[in-house]
Amino acid sequence: MIHSADIREWRNRDVIDPKGRKIGSLEAVYVDTATDAPAMATVRTGLPTRQRLVFVPLDEATLGPGYVKVAYERGLVRKAPSIGLDDVLPVEREQEVFKHYARSYEPGADHGRRLARG
């Protein structure tokens, strides 16, 4: 299991898929508001003039020398819901991220955020 303190040190490191293909660079970690455990990460991807942040779950992620390997294929991650580099994921779009990865979604306390930037 990856702990919040560990993965924050990996900001700007390569994020790779199970086959070792680079997806992009780790931008931020989002924690589950119910457990405070790392749940998702944003990955900076795209051309230098047209970059965006895509979301990827951190379950089954492993850390290596200079990279974070996620359990999802590059193509699936690159098609995930995205936000601009300076944007914040609106609470209304959280369910969309979970659905993309065929994961169940429950809103946070009082129907609030499930994901919070760590």
Side-chain angles (χ1 to χ4, degrees), residues 65-117:
Y67 66 84
V68 177
K69 183 186 286 186
V70 295
Y72 300 89
E73 296 290 328
R74 180 173 66 179
L76 179 65
V77 176
R78 287 189 172 172
K79 292 177 185 172
S82 64
I83 58 175
L85 296 180
D86 296 323
D87 294 340
V88 175
L89 180 68
V91 68
E92 302 82 25
R93 290 193 61 210
E94 284 186 346
Q95 186 172 3
E96 185 182 337
V97 174
F98 282 77
K99 184 178 179 182
H100 179 77
Y101 292 102
R103 302 178 63 143
S104 62
Y105 175 78
E106 294 288 328
D110 297 322
H111 302 286
R113 289 196 167 278
R114 170 79 182 271
L115 298 173
R117 188 171 171 156

Side-chain angles (χ1 to χ4, degrees), residues 8-9 11-12 15 32-33 47 56 62 72 76 84 93 108 113:
R8 283 189 187 110
E9 297 174 12
R11 189 166 187 255
N12 295 320
V15 176
D32 186 315
T33 57
L47 300 172
V56 63
T62 56
Y72 300 89
L76 179 65
R93 290 193 61 210
R113 289 196 167 278

